[in-house]
Amino acid sequence: MNAPLKRSTRTLLAAALALGVAAGPAALSPAFAATAPAASAPAPAAPATSPDLSAVIAGLPRADATAALVRVGGTEGSWRGSAGVHDLESGAPADPAARFRAGSVTKVFTAATVLQLAAEGRIDLDRTARSYLPELIPGRYATVTVRQLLNHTHGIPPADLPGETVEEWYERRFDVHTPEELVRSATAKPREFRPGTRQHYLNIGYTVAGLIVERVTGDAYEEQVERRILRPLGLRDSYFPGADPGIEGPYNHGYQTMRLDDGTTGLRDVSVWGVTDGWAAGDLVSTTADLERFTRALFAGRVVRGPLLEEMFTLPRVADLRSGDPAAFSVGLSMKRLGGREVWGKTGGRWGYNAAIASTRDGSRTLVYSVNSTDAKGQDTNRTVLSLMVGAYGLPD
């Protein structure tokens, strides 16, 4: 690889990672790839200002992904496309209306719910988490505020979960974790930094936030999100699976590269995998149609109203704990400048699935995708995911 190409690749990877993308390549057999169906026909011709991403997803399944569902929308025009297969065994075309695991896109729904409760005076963003959950949050985290939980500046480390490899995690895929268990595991450890001084993107802040929602409402977190967001917006294909490791209704199978029973490395179907470790930080199941509707409503101010919506578009003035770069995550969202403008959104990854919502602040261009990545939680960036983001918005500034 020549030097300019290396620099370009690094730049694109940085752009995707800033939006929370984490995925990586794996190998499909040449014989299977040769018989893969082409991308499905795109929607009727859109205005010239709306990008046609059919070339990005054409040729699926391939090494990095087995399927992709994509929607581009907004005032600049719309485009829809799907490619790949429903499952590797049948080779049937991917279902464009399929449900998928949205992963950390769940955090946007959680943040919006907390902000609605703040608008009602039932949650104070500047009040400490311990004041809401005194029996669960120990003294070492006594100053962590609700806002810091939501913008990842709380300093609470991640919870400990058993296993160190994907094979070990797969063996424990049916384990059930309670949010209280996760919080106790995390808060038993020393803090990573003084709250409000750094940013470290983790799930644990949203787990605590979900418990605060339950404490102030006396209701289940899931029911609050359904009552406040899913039902009012008509998101009929979005739901919280709880302890059920399966996906209800139609879905395109997700696959992960790992060591198989015979000692070889290959793709294993990981569609059935419990998500209780994610809960309010990452357990939502949805569709691209539902997420597009949610994105339009959110950016139009119809989910969170008034001044509190600005919390979702305000980056804390601190540095990232690991990179030292300026904070990229707000309350619920993240931001990256692409193609000369700010793009706000959130990505998510569960084994076998990458998903994202994104939009310009004015809603002129939205992007929603589900990519059945073969290493959706890997260290490298999935090339299909990367190409979709850059194809929709342009290169990073």
Side-chain angles (χ1 to χ4, degrees):
M1 182 183 293
N2 59 41
L5 184 54
K6 285 183 178 179
R7 287 195 295 270
S8 176
T9 300
R10 284 197 298 269
T11 301
L12 295 179
L13 291 178
L17 288 172
L19 286 164
V21 175
L28 289 174
S29 70
F32 180 80
T35 60
S40 62
T49 52
S50 179
D52 183 334
L53 302 179
S54 55
V56 174
I57 59 176
L60 293 177
R62 55 181 178 238
D64 65 312
T66 59
L69 315 177
V70 187
R71 286 175 174 247
V72 179
T75 57
E76 295 177 351
S78 61
W79 180 89
R80 298 176 188 174
S82 65
V85 294
H86 168 266
D87 66 276
L88 295 180
E89 288 71 26
S90 71
D95 181 354
R99 287 173 168 170
F100 51 83
R101 301 194 188 281
S104 286
V105 175
T106 308
K107 291 182 176 70
V108 191
F109 289 76
T110 303
T113 299
V114 173
L115 291 174
Q116 285 189 11
L117 288 165
E120 297 165 9
R122 302 171 74 179
I123 288 180
D124 184 342
L125 299 181
D126 293 314
R127 188 174 165 185
T128 66
R130 193 177 190 216
S131 69
Y132 292 102
L133 303 168
E135 77 291 354
L136 194 59
I137 306 298
R140 66 168 60 92
Y141 296 105
T143 64
V144 172
T145 67
V146 176
R147 181 182 285 103
Q148 290 166 349
L149 294 174
L150 298 176
N151 67 17
H152 307 283
T153 62
H154 47 74
I156 305 173
D160 290 326
L161 294 170
E164 297 182 357
T165 66
V166 63
E167 291 81 11
E168 291 172 343
W169 295 323
Y170 178 77
E171 290 300 318
R172 306 187 69 115
R173 65 192 181 280
F174 299 132
D175 287 2
V176 175
H177 306 277
T178 68
E180 292 85 359
E181 164 201 336
L182 297 172
V183 173
R184 290 191 185 97
S185 170
T187 58
K189 296 181 285 186
R191 66 190 189 186
E192 293 188 321
F193 50 82
R194 184 164 56 86
T197 63
R198 295 287 188 274
Q199 184 173 80
H200 187 192
Y201 176 83
L202 292 170
N203 281 349
I204 191 63
Y206 279 74
T207 304
V208 179
L211 289 170
I212 292 175
V213 168
E214 295 195 331
R215 180 60 54 89
V216 301
T217 64
D219 195 7
Y221 155 80
E222 297 88 345
E223 177 56 32
Q224 281 293 305
V225 180
E226 289 173 7
R227 184 174 70 82
R228 293 171 174 274
I229 301 175
L230 303 190
R231 290 199 286 269
L233 293 181
L235 308 185
R236 297 180 179 85
D237 290 313
S238 300
Y239 76 99
F240 296 94
D244 184 354
I247 301 175
E248 295 178 2
Y251 65 90
N252 298 317
H253 290 235
Y255 297 87
Q256 166 66 31
T257 300
M258 66 174 74
R259 188 178 64 253
L260 304 179
D261 296 339
D262 61 3
T264 63
T265 297
L267 294 179
R268 188 188 292 275
D269 191 326
V270 292
S271 309
V272 179
W273 192 314
V275 292
T276 55
D277 60 310
W279 195 51
D283 69 346
L284 183 71
V285 172
S286 191
T287 64
T288 54
D290 273 8
L291 291 184
E292 184 179 52
R293 180 178 293 185
F294 171 71
T295 302
R296 290 199 307 265
L298 179 71
F299 280 72
R302 293 190 287 111
V303 179
V304 179
R305 296 176 171 82
L308 283 168
L309 180 59
E310 290 304 310
E311 296 284 344
M312 305 190 84
F313 299 102
T314 302
L315 299 175
R317 296 183 178 180
V318 299
D320 181 84
L321 177 65
R322 294 182 174 176
S323 70
D325 294 334
F329 294 91
S330 62
V331 170
L333 300 174
S334 63
M335 190 277 286
K336 182 66 182 179
R337 288 192 60 85
L338 298 172
R341 51 186 176 177
E342 290 186 356
V343 177
W344 293 84
K346 189 70 193 74
T347 62
R350 296 295 306 187
W351 297 110
Y353 299 90
N354 276 133
I357 65 172
S359 180
T360 53
R361 179 68 192 272
D362 62 2
S364 57
R365 180 167 297 172
T366 63
L367 171 68
V368 174
Y369 65 71
S370 168
V371 174
N372 294 54
S373 304
T374 54
D375 190 7
K377 295 174 74 66
Q379 295 301 309
D380 297 321
T381 303
N382 181 277
R383 65 169 178 150
T384 299
V385 164
L386 178 64
S387 298
L388 287 171
M389 189 67 70
V390 174
Y393 292 106
L395 294 170
D397 294 4

Coordinates of all heavy atoms in Angstrom, one line a residue, residues 15-73:
A15 N -12.5 8.9 10.9 CA -13.9 9.4 10.8 C -14.9 8.4 11.3 O -15.9 8.8 12.0 CB -14.1 9.8 9.4
A16 N -14.8 7.2 10.9 CA -15.8 6.2 11.3 C -15.7 5.9 12.8 O -16.8 5.8 13.5 CB -15.6 4.9 10.5
L17 N -14.5 5.8 13.3 CA -14.4 5.5 14.8 C -14.9 6.6 15.6 O -15.5 6.4 16.7 CB -12.9 5.2 15.1 CG -12.4 3.9 14.5 CD1 -10.9 3.8 14.8 CD2 -13.1 2.7 15.2
A18 N -14.8 7.9 15.2 CA -15.3 9.0 15.9 C -16.8 8.9 16.1 O -17.4 9.4 17.0 CB -14.9 10.3 15.3
L19 N -17.5 8.2 15.1 CA -18.9 8.1 15.2 C -19.3 6.8 15.9 O -20.4 6.3 15.9 CB -19.5 8.1 13.8 CG -19.6 9.5 13.2 CD1 -19.8 9.3 11.7 CD2 -20.7 10.3 13.8
G20 N -18.3 6.1 16.5 CA -18.6 4.9 17.3 C -18.6 3.6 16.6 O -19.1 2.6 17.1
V21 N -18.1 3.6 15.3 CA -18.1 2.4 14.5 C -17.1 1.4 15.0 O -15.9 1.8 15.2 CB -17.9 2.7 13.0 CG1 -17.8 1.4 12.2 CG2 -19.0 3.6 12.5
A22 N -17.4 0.2 15.2 CA -16.3 -0.8 15.5 C -16.7 -2.1 14.7 O -17.7 -2.7 15.0 CB -16.3 -1.1 17.0
A23 N -15.9 -2.5 13.8 CA -16.2 -3.7 13.0 C -14.9 -4.1 12.3 O -13.9 -3.4 12.3 CB -17.3 -3.5 12.0
G24 N -14.9 -5.3 11.7 CA -13.7 -5.8 11.0 C -14.0 -6.8 10.0 O -15.1 -7.4 9.9
P25 N -13.0 -7.1 9.1 CA -13.1 -8.1 8.0 C -13.0 -9.5 8.5 O -12.4 -9.8 9.5 CB -12.0 -7.7 7.1 CG -10.9 -7.1 8.0 CD -11.6 -6.5 9.2
A26 N -13.5 -10.4 7.6 CA -13.4 -11.8 7.8 C -13.5 -12.4 6.4 O -13.8 -11.8 5.5 CB -14.4 -12.4 8.8
A27 N -13.3 -13.7 6.3 CA -13.2 -14.4 5.0 C -14.4 -15.2 4.7 O -14.8 -16.0 5.6 CB -11.9 -15.2 4.9
L28 N -15.0 -15.1 3.5 CA -16.0 -16.0 3.0 C -15.3 -16.9 2.0 O -14.4 -16.4 1.3 CB -17.2 -15.3 2.4 CG -18.1 -14.5 3.3 CD1 -19.1 -13.7 2.4 CD2 -18.9 -15.4 4.2
S29 N -15.8 -18.1 1.8 CA -15.2 -19.0 0.8 C -15.4 -18.4 -0.6 O -16.4 -17.9 -0.9 CB -15.8 -20.4 0.9 OG -17.1 -20.3 0.4
P30 N -14.4 -18.5 -1.5 CA -14.5 -18.0 -2.8 C -15.7 -18.7 -3.5 O -16.4 -18.0 -4.3 CB -13.2 -18.4 -3.5 CG -12.2 -18.5 -2.4 CD -13.0 -19.0 -1.2
A31 N -16.0 -19.9 -3.3 CA -17.1 -20.6 -3.9 C -18.4 -20.0 -3.6 O -19.3 -19.8 -4.4 CB -17.1 -22.1 -3.5
F32 N -18.6 -19.6 -2.3 CA -19.8 -19.0 -1.9 C -20.0 -17.6 -2.5 O -21.0 -17.3 -3.0 CB -20.0 -18.9 -0.4 CG -21.2 -18.3 0.1 CD1 -22.4 -19.0 0.1 CD2 -21.3 -17.0 0.4 CE1 -23.6 -18.5 0.4 CE2 -22.5 -16.4 0.7 CZ -23.7 -17.1 0.8
A33 N -18.9 -16.9 -2.4 CA -18.9 -15.5 -2.9 C -19.3 -15.5 -4.4 O -19.9 -14.6 -4.9 CB -17.6 -14.8 -2.7
A34 N -18.8 -16.5 -5.1 CA -19.1 -16.5 -6.6 C -20.6 -16.7 -6.9 O -21.0 -16.3 -8.0 CB -18.3 -17.6 -7.2
T35 N -21.3 -17.3 -6.0 CA -22.7 -17.5 -6.2 C -23.6 -16.5 -5.5 O -24.8 -16.7 -5.5 CB -23.1 -19.0 -5.7 OG1 -22.8 -19.1 -4.3 CG2 -22.3 -20.0 -6.5
A36 N -23.1 -15.5 -4.9 CA -23.9 -14.6 -4.1 C -24.7 -13.7 -5.0 O -24.3 -13.3 -6.1 CB -23.0 -13.6 -3.3
P37 N -26.0 -13.4 -4.6 CA -26.9 -12.6 -5.4 C -26.4 -11.1 -5.4 O -25.8 -10.7 -4.5 CB -28.2 -12.7 -4.7 CG -27.9 -13.1 -3.3 CD -26.7 -13.9 -3.4
A38 N -26.7 -10.4 -6.5 CA -26.3 -9.0 -6.5 C -27.3 -8.2 -5.6 O -28.3 -8.7 -5.1 CB -26.4 -8.5 -8.0
A39 N -26.9 -6.9 -5.4 CA -27.7 -6.0 -4.6 C -29.1 -5.9 -5.3 O -29.3 -5.9 -6.5 CB -27.1 -4.6 -4.6
S40 N -30.1 -5.8 -4.4 CA -31.5 -5.6 -4.9 C -31.6 -4.2 -5.6 O -30.8 -3.3 -5.3 CB -32.5 -5.7 -3.7 OG -32.2 -4.7 -2.8
A41 N -32.6 -4.1 -6.4 CA -32.7 -2.8 -7.2 C -33.0 -1.7 -6.2 O -33.8 -1.8 -5.3 CB -33.9 -3.0 -8.2
P42 N -32.4 -0.5 -6.4 CA -32.7 0.6 -5.6 C -34.1 1.2 -5.8 O -34.7 0.8 -6.8 CB -31.6 1.6 -6.0 CG -31.3 1.2 -7.4 CD -31.4 -0.3 -7.5
A43 N -34.4 2.1 -4.9 CA -35.7 2.7 -5.1 C -35.7 3.6 -6.3 O -34.7 3.8 -6.9 CB -36.0 3.6 -3.8
P44 N -36.9 4.1 -6.8 CA -37.0 4.9 -7.9 C -36.0 6.1 -7.8 O -35.6 6.5 -6.7 CB -38.4 5.4 -7.9 CG -39.2 4.3 -7.3 CD -38.2 3.8 -6.2
A45 N -35.6 6.6 -9.0 CA -34.6 7.7 -9.0 C -34.9 8.8 -8.0 O -36.0 9.3 -8.0 CB -34.4 8.2 -10.4
A46 N -33.8 9.2 -7.3 CA -33.9 10.2 -6.3 C -33.3 11.5 -6.9 O -32.6 11.4 -7.9 CB -33.2 9.8 -5.0
P47 N -33.5 12.7 -6.2 CA -32.9 13.9 -6.7 C -31.4 13.7 -6.7 O -30.8 12.9 -6.0 CB -33.3 14.9 -5.7 CG -34.6 14.4 -5.1 CD -34.4 12.9 -5.1
A48 N -30.7 14.5 -7.6 CA -29.3 14.3 -7.8 C -28.5 14.6 -6.6 O -27.4 14.1 -6.4 CB -28.8 15.3 -8.9
T49 N -29.1 15.4 -5.6 CA -28.3 15.7 -4.4 C -28.4 14.5 -3.4 O -27.7 14.6 -2.4 CB -28.9 16.9 -3.7 OG1 -30.4 16.7 -3.6 CG2 -28.7 18.2 -4.6
S50 N -29.2 13.5 -3.6 CA -29.2 12.4 -2.7 C -28.3 11.3 -3.2 O -28.4 10.9 -4.4 CB -30.6 11.8 -2.7 OG -30.7 10.7 -1.8
P51 N -27.3 10.8 -2.4 CA -26.3 9.9 -2.9 C -26.9 8.5 -3.1 O -27.8 8.0 -2.4 CB -25.3 9.8 -1.7 CG -26.1 10.2 -0.5 CD -27.1 11.2 -1.0
D52 N -26.5 7.9 -4.2 CA -26.9 6.5 -4.6 C -25.8 5.6 -4.0 O -24.6 5.6 -4.5 CB -27.0 6.4 -6.1 CG -27.5 5.0 -6.5 OD1 -27.2 4.0 -5.7 OD2 -28.1 4.9 -7.6
L53 N -26.1 4.8 -3.0 CA -25.1 4.0 -2.4 C -25.1 2.5 -2.8 O -24.6 1.7 -2.2 CB -25.3 4.0 -0.9 CG -25.2 5.4 -0.2 CD1 -25.5 5.4 1.3 CD2 -23.9 6.1 -0.5
S54 N -25.8 2.3 -4.0 CA -25.9 0.9 -4.5 C -24.5 0.3 -4.7 O -24.3 -0.9 -4.5 CB -26.8 0.9 -5.7 OG -26.3 1.7 -6.7
A55 N -23.6 1.1 -5.2 CA -22.2 0.5 -5.5 C -21.5 0.1 -4.2 O -20.7 -0.8 -4.2 CB -21.4 1.6 -6.2
V56 N -21.8 0.8 -3.1 CA -21.2 0.4 -1.8 C -21.6 -0.9 -1.3 O -20.8 -1.7 -0.8 CB -21.5 1.5 -0.8 CG1 -21.0 1.1 0.6 CG2 -21.0 2.9 -1.2
I57 N -22.9 -1.3 -1.5 CA -23.4 -2.6 -1.0 C -23.5 -3.6 -2.1 O -23.9 -4.8 -1.7 CB -24.7 -2.4 -0.3 CG1 -25.8 -1.8 -1.2 CG2 -24.6 -1.4 0.9 CD1 -27.2 -1.7 -0.6
A58 N -23.2 -3.3 -3.3 CA -23.2 -4.3 -4.4 C -22.2 -5.4 -4.1 O -21.1 -5.2 -3.5 CB -22.9 -3.7 -5.7
G59 N -22.5 -6.6 -4.4 CA -21.6 -7.7 -4.3 C -21.7 -8.5 -2.9 O -20.9 -9.4 -2.7
L60 N -22.5 -8.0 -2.0 CA -22.7 -8.7 -0.8 C -23.4 -10.0 -1.0 O -24.3 -10.1 -1.9 CB -23.5 -7.9 0.2 CG -22.8 -6.6 0.8 CD1 -23.7 -5.9 1.7 CD2 -21.5 -7.0 1.5
P61 N -23.1 -11.1 -0.3 CA -22.1 -11.1 0.8 C -20.7 -11.2 0.3 O -20.4 -11.7 -0.7 CB -22.5 -12.4 1.5 CG -23.0 -13.3 0.5 CD -23.7 -12.4 -0.5
R62 N -19.8 -10.6 1.2 CA -18.4 -10.7 0.9 C -17.7 -10.8 2.2 O -18.3 -11.1 3.3 CB -17.9 -9.4 0.1 CG -18.2 -8.1 0.7 CD -17.8 -7.0 -0.1 NE -18.1 -5.7 0.5 CZ -18.9 -4.8 -0.2 NH1 -19.3 -5.0 -1.4 NH2 -19.2 -3.6 0.4
A63 N -16.4 -10.6 2.3 CA -15.6 -11.0 3.5 C -16.1 -10.3 4.7 O -16.1 -10.8 5.8 CB -14.1 -10.7 3.2
D64 N -16.4 -9.0 4.6 CA -16.7 -8.2 5.8 C -18.2 -8.2 6.2 O -18.5 -7.8 7.3 CB -16.2 -6.8 5.6 CG -17.0 -6.0 4.5 OD1 -17.2 -6.6 3.4 OD2 -17.4 -4.9 4.7
A65 N -19.1 -8.6 5.3 CA -20.5 -8.5 5.7 C -21.3 -9.4 4.8 O -21.0 -9.7 3.6 CB -21.0 -7.1 5.5
T66 N -22.4 -9.9 5.3 CA -23.3 -10.8 4.6 C -24.6 -10.1 4.1 O -25.2 -10.6 3.2 CB -23.7 -12.0 5.4 OG1 -24.4 -11.5 6.6 CG2 -22.5 -12.8 5.9
A67 N -24.9 -8.9 4.6 CA -26.1 -8.2 4.2 C -26.0 -6.8 4.6 O -25.3 -6.4 5.5 CB -27.4 -8.9 4.8
A68 N -26.8 -5.9 4.0 CA -26.9 -4.5 4.3 C -28.2 -4.0 3.9 O -28.7 -4.2 2.9 CB -25.7 -3.7 3.7
L69 N -28.8 -3.1 4.8 CA -30.0 -2.4 4.6 C -29.8 -1.0 4.8 O -29.2 -0.6 5.9 CB -31.1 -2.9 5.6 CG -31.3 -4.4 5.8 CD1 -32.4 -4.7 6.8 CD2 -31.6 -5.1 4.4
V70 N -30.1 -0.1 3.9 CA -29.7 1.3 3.9 C -30.8 2.2 3.5 O -31.6 1.9 2.6 CB -28.5 1.6 3.0 CG1 -28.0 3.0 3.2 CG2 -27.4 0.5 3.2
R71 N -31.0 3.3 4.3 CA -31.9 4.4 3.9 C -31.2 5.7 4.0 O -30.7 6.1 5.1 CB -33.1 4.4 4.9 CG -34.1 3.2 4.6 CD -35.2 3.2 5.6 NE -36.2 2.2 5.3 CZ -37.5 2.5 5.0 NH1 -37.9 3.7 4.9 NH2 -38.3 1.5 4.7
V72 N -31.3 6.5 3.0 CA -30.9 7.9 3.0 C -32.1 8.8 2.8 O -33.0 8.5 2.0 CB -29.9 8.2 1.9 CG1 -29.5 9.7 1.9 CG2 -28.7 7.3 2.0
G73 N -32.3 9.8 3.7 CA -33.4 10.6 3.6 C -33.1 12.1 3.9 O -32.0 12.5 3.9

